[in-house]
């Protein structure tokens, strides 16, 4: 299942927002790494060490299609303003990738440039267009 998920600290409300093309597996991996003090996100790992993993909730926020995964993640990231995320998600389609995120999606976006654009006057804030290349975006938009 492709979607966006959160890991929320029940004590203070701080959270992490992520997305995956296999959400159940991704949340399970987070849980195992956090339980074993091996998570690469130091902010999240330190919080789990301080408050205990039992005080964190793993929840699916939004199920979506693979082509819209990152646009939906951008939407939730901007709406929720998570404090445990280490990289920023840019609503214009740019993103600072961690090595883990890059490796997880290499097979899906290999050798392609993806561009997400959100209309300025969209009635639905989640409305967006995903293009496989800059030339495709130009053909459709101009």
């Amino acid at each position: 299942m492709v979607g966006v998920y959160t890991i929320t600290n029940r004590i203070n409300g701080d959270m992490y927002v992520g997305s995956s093309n296999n959400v159940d597996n991704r949340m399970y991996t987070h849980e195992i790494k956090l339980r074993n003090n091996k998570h690469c996100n130091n902010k999240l790992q330190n919080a789990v060490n301080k408050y205990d993993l039992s005080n964190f909730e793993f929840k699916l926020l939004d199920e979506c299609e693979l082509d819209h995964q990152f646009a939906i993640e951008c939407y939730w990231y901007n709406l929720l303003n998570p404090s445990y995320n280490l990289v920023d998600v840019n609503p214009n389609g740019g993103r600072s990738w961690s090595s883990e995120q890059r490796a997880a999606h290499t097979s899906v976006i290999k050798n392609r440039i993806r561009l997400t654009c959100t209309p300025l006057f969209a009635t639905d804030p989640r409305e967006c267009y995903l293009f496989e290349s800059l030339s495709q975006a130009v053909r459709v938009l101009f």
Side-chain angles (χ1 to χ4, degrees), residues 42-94:
N42 291 334
K43 279 183 174 179
L44 185 57
Q45 184 66 64
N46 290 339
V48 167
N49 293 346
K50 180 177 180 178
Y51 296 107
D52 192 63
L53 187 59
S54 63
N55 289 311
F56 285 79
E57 177 183 24
F58 293 73
K59 180 180 175 184
L60 174 68
L61 272 181
D62 208 341
E63 188 174 347
C64 59
E65 294 181 27
L66 186 61
D67 287 345
H68 301 115
Q69 174 184 343
F70 300 118
I72 301 297
E73 182 184 7
C74 287
Y75 167 78
W76 284 108
Y77 179 88
N78 290 329
L79 182 68
L80 299 173
N81 193 24
S83 56
Y84 293 139
N85 285 62
L86 297 178
V87 297
D88 290 332
V89 178
N90 183 331
N92 295 321

